């Protein structure tokens, strides 16, 4: 019943996490991600595969990348795994309650499955969050490079510019009055996140002024 179980979890996630509702292809990939995770964890349970030897399904990693590209907060991705775990637990408890086994065996089964599910979600969520963060950083760097190119084209004044289209492209209202600010970071304090910190500072400066 892999498809039906995965479908229930996917529907539940869409209902509970608004950020996961979006274009059809992304939602379809959410379904593939859920099914890949359910299939993987069930195989780990059935064949007693240690969770730390399991790799995240390809669809799950790709889904994390797509969320990063679309600016969906990483918190939504983490919540999806936690809520998916809760829904899977509910389904497992229902099945085990209906199984014709003695109470002691039922308790042992529930304890084993619950522990494995927790370990699986903890392990896999670390992998997908790492992929998300790497992709988000790469995507932002690419977006900033394209934005810088468009800005240089405007500043050069060598060709006619569609003001409204360019404003949308560089996310800056060209029809406004403009004030320039020059920012830099001391080389000796560089830690690798200078661009993000400068952007954050600039946003806060803009709000303050």
């Amino acid at each position: 019943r892999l498809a039906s179980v995965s479908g229930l979890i996917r529907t539940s996630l869409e209902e509970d996490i608004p950020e996961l509702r979006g274009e059809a292809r992304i939602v379809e990939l959410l379904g593939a991600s859920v099914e890949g995770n359910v299939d993987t964890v069930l195989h780990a349970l059935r064949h007693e595969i240690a969770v730390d030897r399991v790799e995240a399904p390809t669809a799950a990693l790709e889904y994390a990348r797509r969320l990063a590209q679309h600016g969906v907060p990483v918190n939504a991705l983490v919540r999806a795994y936690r809520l998916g775990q809760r829904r899977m637990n509910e389904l497992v408890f229902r099945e085990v309650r209906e199984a014709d086994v003695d109470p002691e065996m039922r308790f042992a089964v529930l304890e084993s499955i619950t522990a494995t599910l927790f370990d699986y979600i903890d392990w896999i969520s670390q992998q997908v969050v790492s992929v998300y963060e790497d992709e988000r950083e790469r995507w932002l760097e690419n977006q900033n490079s394209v934005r810088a190119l468009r800005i240089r084209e405007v500043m050069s004044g060598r060709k006619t510019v569609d003001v409204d289209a360019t404003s949308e492209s560089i996310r800056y209202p060209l029809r406004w009055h403009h004030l320039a600010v020059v920012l830099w970071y001391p080389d000796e304090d560089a830690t690798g996140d200078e661009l993000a910190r400068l952007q954050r500072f600039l946003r806060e400066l803009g709000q303050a002024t």
Side-chain angles (χ1 to χ4, degrees):
R1 291 165 28 214
L2 175 63
S4 62
V5 169
S6 302
L8 285 170
I9 296 175
R10 167 187 164 174
T11 301
S12 176
L13 295 180
E14 288 183 74
E15 292 174 351
D16 293 340
I17 308 176
E19 297 93 333
L20 300 187
R21 304 171 202 154
E23 60 182 80
R25 287 193 300 177
I26 302 296
V27 174
E28 184 179 345
L29 190 55
L30 167 61
S33 173
V34 171
E35 185 166 322
N37 276 301
V38 172
D39 189 38
T40 302
V41 74
L42 289 178
H43 275 91
L45 283 164
R46 183 175 185 177
H47 301 293
E48 297 183 352
I49 301 172
V51 167
D52 59 6
R53 296 178 60 188
V54 173
E55 294 185 4
T58 301
L61 297 176
E62 186 57 32
Y63 183 64
R65 291 188 186 97
R66 299 289 178 86
L67 291 186
Q69 293 166 5
H70 284 74
V72 176
V74 69
N75 182 54
L77 178 62
V78 175
R79 283 194 69 211
Y81 275 86
R82 297 303 180 194
L83 295 178
Q85 177 188 3
R86 185 186 71 182
R87 178 63 69 188
M88 189 68 179
N89 269 330
E90 292 170 355
L91 296 170
V92 166
F93 270 69
R94 184 186 308 164
E95 289 295 317
V96 175
R97 276 198 304 268
E98 295 175 358
D100 184 20
V101 295
D102 65 78
E104 187 175 340
M105 175 64 75
R106 180 177 288 112
F107 176 79
V109 169
L110 286 174
E111 186 177 40
S112 176
I113 294 179
T114 301
T116 300
L117 283 175
F118 176 84
D119 290 342
Y120 177 85
I121 294 299
D122 183 59
W123 176 240
I124 297 299
S125 60
Q126 290 180 54
Q127 295 182 44
V128 297
V129 165
S130 177
V131 167
Y132 173 99
E133 291 176 342
D134 288 346
E135 180 64 21
R136 185 66 180 163
E137 184 175 338
R138 187 200 65 77
W139 187 81
L140 286 173
E141 287 177 356
N142 183 58
Q143 289 294 100
N144 284 328
S145 297
V146 172
R147 189 174 186 228
L149 175 63
R150 296 288 173 264
I151 291 171
R152 282 196 293 271
E153 290 175 350
V154 172
M155 298 296 288
S156 70
R158 295 196 186 101
K159 65 178 184 178
T160 303
V161 173
D162 183 324
V163 175
D164 294 325
T166 305
S167 294
E168 184 176 349
S169 172
I170 66 176
R171 305 186 303 284
Y172 180 83
L174 290 173
R175 295 188 185 278
W176 286 11
H177 180 77
H178 311 296
L179 177 67
V181 178
V182 178
L183 300 175
W184 70 93
Y185 220 95
D187 289 341
E188 62 268 20
D189 294 332
T191 59
D193 62 346
E194 291 77 26
L195 179 59
R197 296 178 71 178
L198 286 173
Q199 290 175 329
R200 184 166 60 250
F201 172 80
L202 186 59
R203 282 196 302 271
E204 293 171 354
L205 179 64
Q207 292 167 359
T209 56

